[in-house]
């Protein structure tokens, strides 16, 4: 699947505004925008990487928008906030609302109901221009749960841009009002000083935020603000540029090469928006300065790089850049959802790009341009007809926006009503909802609706997730919590990643029944391993936070000396059938054995891999599948016997636990057993199903511990 940290072009959707010379239009920068959007689209569709194009767009937006406001302030004109905001709305909202409406229809048609809630949330966030903050607050949830990438996730930079525009307008309006008696040079100087200090503060903050929580910083407006502010500073400085021709050519070539290569050489997902973002930002500034300045009149022939950037195909591509980015990401994501694929190939990727370009061109011609305020000041029959059409279009736009808002709130309310009954999941009668008992005790299964339902599944998680008792991906803090009988002297330490975590539901219940406490040492996606550079499961992404956390957790476990450490001992093969014991687990077992700490080694539960790709049973069922079609053959999910048996003689202090027969039949690992949904996502058991496993887990724990 494409990376969850995607990039988008922050652009007003307008042609470039005049340079320092009011008669000169920067077609070269429109061409630069065309190159940037081409890179962004190609990297998203074929490479699943960040190209740096978003940074180019942010700088260009600051340059054009800030440059115009600087001229207004310098001329002493009173800035009308309502008029300016209306102008921005006319340029930004029509295409955005249209794309949101089309995506809503396609999402309902293509995607299962389990995906509608995140779409509704992000629709509201996009319309309200706080999508970036929404993603910043949920980024760890997306990573943890394997949340499918949203077709609207790319709109985060539109929110950053909108917030930047509003803040800049407010500052300039205040300066023009409060500094009405100042000279034009003083007003301009005041604005530039404020912008410079804000840019410096934002850059410093971005570097601190990057270290503290890079995933959230990626979407943070304050961490991104220095990039468009750099464009504003460029607009203030460009009239003073007096570069000779050779220096302009060198700067433009260097900037273009850096823009073309930064997506290949820099891992923007992990490095932006901190110091490495200086590469695309400075590269864009070099191109801006290379083609600008008072010594560059309209009549002077353009230099080679500027002539290249001014080619009509690039200028046209830049003109549709806003609409193209609005379209290409949802077209890609919805196509992948429709075809049930993880990535696009050469042919279908080219088709996705072609469809996106066509949709962008039509959106520009039929929606964006007709609603722009042109010629309104000329009293004529044509302008009156245009005004009538514009009013009608604005009315339709408002109605569609209202419809999107009502539909989003309506669906969210429906989901909340469904989940409000989910509190009864903890007290489902075993007679009606035997769950695992249908496999291990051949309990009779009544014909009743599955629980949790597909809409309840997402929230049917272990108590540790709800209580904040598991360390998030980007944190290294060691969090310990106590469950079960908290006054007991006998202790089981539940340690490792989320596949250890989902057993807390049964362990908590048994601890209270049998008189032992459960202390948790858990971190998302971080099983106990000796790998120096762990990776996040299902990807090749390095996970250094996991290494730091494991070192602290092991030291704490040895110091606390629990009676048993409960942890997983196997992993699935991702490129073939069955499961295995990772060699990097053995060092952990050795260290525990050296310290005389017994292990309850649990065979990991099946992961839902089909042809090497994870799939979600709740999504599958919501899309029309059933318990069998949304499951897997046991032979694909599990080896014939528990691979940990091969190490039993080497670790006498390890007791082996295996609940595979309580999750899978002899032939199939189904999505539903005993009227209970087995998984709440691609590979985590639902808390309700784990609750039904408590009896079998109790039997095996009794044999292993001798406590009852």
């Amino acid at each position: 699947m494409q990376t969850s940290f995607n990039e988008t072009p922050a652009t007003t959707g307008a042609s470039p505004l005049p340079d320092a010379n009011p008669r000169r239009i920067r077609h070269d920068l429109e061409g630069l925008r065309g190159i940037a959007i081409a890179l962004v689209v190609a990297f998203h569709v074929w490479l699943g990487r960040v190209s740096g194009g978003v940074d180019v767009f942010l700088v260009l937006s600051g340059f054009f928008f800030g440059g115009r406001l600087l001229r207004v302030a310098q001329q002493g004109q009173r800035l009308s906030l309502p008029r300016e905001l209306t102008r921005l709305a006319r340029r930004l909202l029509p295409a955005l609302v249209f794309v949101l409406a089309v995506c809503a229809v396609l999402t309902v048609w293509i995607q299962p109901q389990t995906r509608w809630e995140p779409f509704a949330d992000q629709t509201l966030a996009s319309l309200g221009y706080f999508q970036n903050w929404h993603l910043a607050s949920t980024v760890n949830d997306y990573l943890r749960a394997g949340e499918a990438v949203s077709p609207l996730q790319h709109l985060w930079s539109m929110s950053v841009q909108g917030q930047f525009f509003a803040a800049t307008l407010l500052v300039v309006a205040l300066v023009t009002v409060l500094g009405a008696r100042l000279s034009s040079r003083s007003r301009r100087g005041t604005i530039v000083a404020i912008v410079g200090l804000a840019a410096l503060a934002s850059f410093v903050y971005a570097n601190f935020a990057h270290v503290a929580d890079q995933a959230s910083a990626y979407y943070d407006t304050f961490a991104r603000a220095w990039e468009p502010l750099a464009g504003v500073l460029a607009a203030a400085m460009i009239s003073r540029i007096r570069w000779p021709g050779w220096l302009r050519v060198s700067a433009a070539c260097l900037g273009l090469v850096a823009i073309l290569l930064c997506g290949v050489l820099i891992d923007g997902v992990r490095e932006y928006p901190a110091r490495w973002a200086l590469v695309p930002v400075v590269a864009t500034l070099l191109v801006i300065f290379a083609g600008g300045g008072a010594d560059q009149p309209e009549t002077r022939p353009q230099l080679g790089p500027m002539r290249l950037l001014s080619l009509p195909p690039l200028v046209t591509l830049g003109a549709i850049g806003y609409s193209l980015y609005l379209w290409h990401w949802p077209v890609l994501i919805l196509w992948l959802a429709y075809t049930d694929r993880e990535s696009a190939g050469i042919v279908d990727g080219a088709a996705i790009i072609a469809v996106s370009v066509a949709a962008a061109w039509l959106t520009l011609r039929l929606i964006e341009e007709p609603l722009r305020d042109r010629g309104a000041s000329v009293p004529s029959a044509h302008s009156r007809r245009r005004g009538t059409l514009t009013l009608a279009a604005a009315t339709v736009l408002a109605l569609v926006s209202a419809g999107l808002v009502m539909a989003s709130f309506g669906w969210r309310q429906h989901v909340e009503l469904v989940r409000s009954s989910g509190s009864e999941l903890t007290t489902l009668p075993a007679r009606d909802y035997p769950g695992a008992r249908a496999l291990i005790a051949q309990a009779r299964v009544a014909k009743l609706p599955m629980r949790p339902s597909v809409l309840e599944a997402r929230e049917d998680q272990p108590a540790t997730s709800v209580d904040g008792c598991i360390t998030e991906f980007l944190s290294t803090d060691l969090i310990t919590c106590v469950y079960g009988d908290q006054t007991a002297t006998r202790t089981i330490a539940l340690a490792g990643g989320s596949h250890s975590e989902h057993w807390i539901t049964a362990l908590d219940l048994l601890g209270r029944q049998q008189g032992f406490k459960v202390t948790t040492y858990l971190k998302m996606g971080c099983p106990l391993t000796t790998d120096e550079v762990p990776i996040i499961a299902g990807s090749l992404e390095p996970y250094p936070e996991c290494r730091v956390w494991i070192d602290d957790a092991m030291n704490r476990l040895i110091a606390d000396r629990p009676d048993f450490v409960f942890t997983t001992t196997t992993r699935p093969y991702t490129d073939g059938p069955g499961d295995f014991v990772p060699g990097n687990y053995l060092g952990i077992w050795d260290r525990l054995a050296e310290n005389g700490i017994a292990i309850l080694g649990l065979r990991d539960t099946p992961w839902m891999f089909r042809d090497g790709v994870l799939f979600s049973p709740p999504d599958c069922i919501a899309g029309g599948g059933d318990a069998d079609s949304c499951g897997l053959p046991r032979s694909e999910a599990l080896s014939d016997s528990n691979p940990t048996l091969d190490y039993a003689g080497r670790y006498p202090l390890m007791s082996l636990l295996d609940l595979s027969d309580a999750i899978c039949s002899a032939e199939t690992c189904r999505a539903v057993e005993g009227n209970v949904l087995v998984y709440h996502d691609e590979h985590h058991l639902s808390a309700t199903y784990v609750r039904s496993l408590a009896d079998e887990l109790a039997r095996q724990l009794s044999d292993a511990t001798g406590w009852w």
Side-chain angles (χ1 to χ4, degrees):
M1 180 58 72
Q2 307 299 316
T3 176
S4 61
F5 298 102
N6 52 53
E7 55 181 340
T8 58
T11 170
T12 62
S15 297
L17 294 168
D19 196 354
N21 181 349
R23 296 170 297 176
R24 183 162 179 260
I25 303 297
R26 293 293 302 272
H27 294 296
D28 57 320
L29 295 187
E30 188 78 333
L32 178 63
R33 187 157 63 183
I35 287 178
I37 189 64
L39 287 172
V40 170
V41 173
F43 270 65
H44 277 169
V45 172
W46 282 313
L47 301 177
R49 287 176 61 93
V50 167
S51 70
V54 67
D55 307 276
V56 175
F57 285 112
L58 285 171
V59 175
L60 290 177
S61 291
F63 176 74
F64 293 134
F65 188 75
R68 189 178 68 83
L69 294 185
L70 285 174
R71 287 192 294 276
V72 170
Q74 188 169 359
Q75 294 166 6
Q77 299 175 14
R78 181 66 60 88
L79 197 67
S80 170
L81 284 177
R83 184 173 64 247
E84 292 294 334
L85 291 173
T86 300
R87 179 178 180 272
L88 282 174
R90 293 172 69 93
R91 292 183 180 275
L92 295 175
L93 287 180
L96 174 64
V97 172
F98 179 63
V99 172
L100 289 176
V102 173
C103 287
V105 173
L106 292 176
T107 294
V108 172
W109 175 44
I110 293 173
Q111 297 198 308
Q113 291 185 2
T114 45
R115 308 280 179 86
W116 295 2
E117 183 188 11
F119 182 88
D121 290 339
Q122 293 192 28
T123 296
L124 294 172
S126 298
L127 286 171
Y129 279 81
F130 60 90
Q131 170 78 309
N132 61 315
W133 295 116
H134 173 73
L135 292 177
S137 66
T138 60
V139 63
N140 285 311
D141 291 338
Y142 284 123
L143 288 170
R144 180 177 184 277
E147 183 79 44
V149 178
S150 163
L152 304 183
Q153 190 168 333
H154 68 308
L155 296 178
W156 67 268
S157 75
M158 287 300 303
S159 296
V160 171
Q161 180 194 32
Q163 294 158 27
F164 163 74
F165 286 158
T168 306
L169 281 171
L170 182 61
V171 169
V172 174
L174 286 174
V175 171
T176 55
V177 170
L178 299 178
R181 296 184 179 180
L182 297 176
S183 66
S184 61
R185 178 174 296 182
S186 297
R187 283 193 299 272
R188 182 185 177 93
T190 300
I191 294 172
V192 171
I194 293 173
V195 169
L197 289 173
L200 178 61
S202 171
F203 182 72
V204 172
Y205 169 76
N207 284 275
F208 279 106
H210 178 270
V211 174
D213 188 349
Q214 188 272 333
S216 295
Y218 190 91
Y219 299 113
D220 191 327
T221 301
F222 300 108
R224 287 283 181 177
W226 68 274
E227 297 178 278
L229 289 173
V232 178
L233 291 175
M237 298 167 54
I238 196 167
S239 62
R240 294 177 169 81
I241 294 296
R242 298 290 191 279
W243 287 357
W246 68 268
L247 184 56
R248 292 181 184 276
V249 171
S250 300
C253 290
L254 179 61
L256 280 175
V257 170
I259 289 169
L260 291 171
L261 293 181
C262 67
V264 176
L265 301 178
I266 301 173
D267 183 3
V269 167
R270 288 189 168 269
E271 300 298 339
Y272 294 165
R275 60 185 182 276
W276 279 106
L278 283 168
V279 175
V281 169
V282 172
T284 306
L285 295 177
L286 287 175
V287 177
I288 289 174
F289 289 142
D295 60 337
Q296 287 293 101
E298 180 70 24
T299 56
R300 176 175 294 183
Q302 289 185 310
L303 299 172
M306 302 303 106
R307 189 180 301 116
L308 172 66
L309 289 174
S310 299
L311 290 174
L314 289 179
V315 173
T316 300
L317 191 58
I320 66 171
Y322 175 54
S323 292
L324 178 55
Y325 207 88
L326 288 180
W327 277 114
H328 92 280
W329 184 256
V331 170
L332 170 63
I333 297 305
L334 291 169
W335 169 252
L336 295 179
Y338 180 74
T339 58
D340 197 23
R341 298 179 61 180
E342 285 290 299
S343 60
I346 298 297
V347 176
D348 57 339
I352 287 168
I353 293 174
V355 170
S356 301
V357 169
W361 187 86
L362 290 172
T363 302
L364 175 69
R365 297 301 181 212
L366 302 180
I367 295 176
E368 288 189 74
E369 289 184 341
L371 290 177
R372 287 180 186 168
D373 191 11
R374 295 177 178 174
S377 61
V378 181
S380 66
H382 176 72
S383 64
R384 286 193 295 272
R385 286 195 301 272
R386 181 179 180 83
T388 301
L389 290 174
T390 300
L391 179 61
T395 302
V396 172
L397 180 70
L399 291 174
V400 173
S401 300
L404 286 169
V405 170
M406 289 189 292
S408 298
F409 274 116
W411 182 253
R412 290 182 63 194
Q413 184 177 20
H414 170 69
V415 172
E416 289 302 318
L417 288 174
V418 171
R419 287 184 183 152
S420 65
S421 64
S423 58
E424 68 187 35
L425 292 175
T426 60
T427 58
L428 291 176
R431 182 186 64 182
D432 297 333
Y433 292 91
R437 303 177 192 92
L439 289 174
I440 57 180
Q442 289 75 50
R444 176 181 173 273
V445 181
K447 291 184 178 181
L448 291 170
M450 174 192 76
R451 300 295 298 276
S453 68
V454 292
L455 295 181
E456 293 170 327
R458 183 180 174 187
E459 301 300 321
D460 194 28
Q461 299 185 14
T464 40
S465 287
V466 178
D467 299 339
C469 290
I470 181 169
T471 303
E472 294 183 344
F473 274 92
L474 298 171
S475 173
T476 58
D477 296 338
L478 179 60
I479 303 171
T480 60
C481 298
V482 179
Y483 292 87
D485 182 352
Q486 299 188 18
T487 63
T489 57
R490 301 181 301 191
T491 303
I492 291 178
L494 179 62
S498 57
H499 277 246
S500 293
E501 181 203 17
H502 59 204
W503 291 100
I504 188 61
T505 303
L507 288 172
D508 179 38
L509 177 63
L510 295 176
R512 286 184 276 110
Q513 290 177 351
Q514 304 297 339
F516 64 88
K517 64 182 175 183
V518 183
T519 305
T520 60
Y521 308 73
L522 301 168
K523 177 170 171 59
M524 296 177 180
C526 188
L528 299 180
T529 172
T530 56
D531 269 353
E532 286 301 317
V533 184
I535 61 172
I536 297 176
S539 75
L540 298 178
E541 292 292 328
Y543 193 7
E545 297 86 357
C546 180
R547 176 73 268 149
V548 175
W549 180 88
I550 289 174
D551 291 340
D552 291 344
M554 288 300 296
N555 291 335
R556 180 71 174 273
L557 279 169
I558 292 170
D560 290 348
R561 298 197 63 79
D563 295 286
F564 295 91
V565 171
F566 186 111
T567 192
T568 56
T569 61
T570 63
R571 298 287 273 185
Y573 286 111
T574 59
D575 55 356
D579 54 342
F580 70 106
V581 175
N584 49 40
Y585 284 15
L586 304 183
I588 297 293
W589 304 349
D590 289 334
R591 189 175 177 192
L592 292 173
E594 290 166 1
N595 287 274
I597 299 176
I599 303 173
L600 296 170
L602 177 73
R603 186 183 191 181
D604 199 1
T605 49
W607 295 43
M608 293 291 102
F609 277 105
R610 182 177 290 159
D611 298 326
V613 177
L614 282 170
F615 72 95
S616 168
D619 286 356
C620 178
I621 292 172
D626 57 30
D628 291 303
S629 64
C630 295
L632 280 179
R634 178 167 177 152
S635 59
E636 292 185 15
L638 298 169
S639 300
D640 292 339
S641 61
N642 184 352
T644 322
L645 290 169
D646 296 338
Y647 300 87
R650 178 173 167 180
Y651 298 98
L653 290 180
M654 177 184 286
S655 300
L656 304 188
L657 308 176
D658 188 350
L659 281 87
S660 301
D661 291 341
I663 298 172
C664 304
S665 69
E667 296 81 23
T668 310
C669 300
R670 303 199 320 153
V672 181
E673 289 292 352
N675 291 333
V676 177
L677 181 65
V678 178
Y679 292 86
H680 80 75
D681 62 13
E682 292 91 342
H683 50 94
H684 295 103
L685 299 178
S686 70
T688 303
Y689 196 79
V690 174
R691 200 172 293 113
S692 76
L693 288 162
D695 291 345
E696 176 61 16
L697 181 60
R699 183 187 68 78
Q700 296 192 28
L701 283 179
S702 175
D703 293 341
T705 64
W707 286 349
W708 63 89

